Amino acid sequence: MIDLESAREAIAKAEIILMQLEIPLMTVVRAAELAHAAGKRVVLNPAPACELPDALLKRLYLITPNETEAERLTGIAVKDADTAAQASKILTDKGVKAVIVTMGSQGAYYFNGSEGRLIPVSQSQGNRYHCCRRCV
């Protein structure tokens, strides 16, 4: 495990800790422990997908898997709002406070442990995306 003691002060000063899984999982787990102990909100983009320990999930304020990552984490094949709701419920039952499952052209499914809804992609978002693709 990476020693994050030198980062303790920076974590304590932050409002939100945002991480992804392109760093060692044990580093993510330790950073989440430090952040949680300091009363900070921890947001995790679980990419690339891997199994996550329940101890980490309990420390997350928000997790943002896509359909593939949500399936890897929950065993539910996410295809629509109903299956996104099922996967989100499993994650909140494990202690995550809120879930946003990103679903490509379908939009994103948000669940806060008691209420959920599909947030569709709007035409303006689609146009902006196409504009950005042309400009890049």
Side-chain angles (χ1 to χ4, degrees), residues 4-17 31 34-40:
L4 292 176
E5 290 307 311
S6 61
R8 187 182 292 267
E9 186 177 333
I11 290 171
K13 289 180 180 178
E15 290 184 41
I16 296 174
I17 307 301
L34 291 172
H36 189 262
K40 306 303 175 179

Side-chain angles (χ1 to χ4, degrees), residues 17 59 65 117 121:
I17 307 301
R59 291 181 172 94
R117 69 183 182 111
V121 175

Side-chain angles (χ1 to χ4, degrees), residues 37-75:
K40 306 303 175 179
R41 292 181 175 181
V42 179
V43 177
L44 179 66
N45 177 342
C50 70
E51 292 183 34
L52 300 176
D54 287 348
L56 172 61
L57 295 172
K58 290 177 183 177
R59 291 181 172 94
L60 298 180
Y61 171 73
L62 175 68
I63 192 167
T64 62
N66 64 22
E67 303 106 310
T68 304
E69 295 153 357
E71 181 175 1
R72 177 85 187 262
L73 293 169
T74 67

Side-chain angles (χ1 to χ4, degrees), residues 8-29:
R8 187 182 292 267
E9 186 177 333
I11 290 171
K13 289 180 180 178
E15 290 184 41
I16 296 174
I17 307 301
L18 173 63
M19 296 184 283
Q20 43 71 37
L21 297 176
E22 291 181 2
I23 59 176
L25 179 58
M26 293 312 298
T27 302
V28 172
V29 170

Side-chain angles (χ1 to χ4, degrees), residues 94-113:
K94 290 184 176 193
V96 179
K97 305 293 181 279
V99 180
I100 297 174
V101 179
T102 58
M103 301 170 60
S105 64
Q106 293 183 71
Y109 185 83
Y110 171 77
F111 183 67
N112 66 8

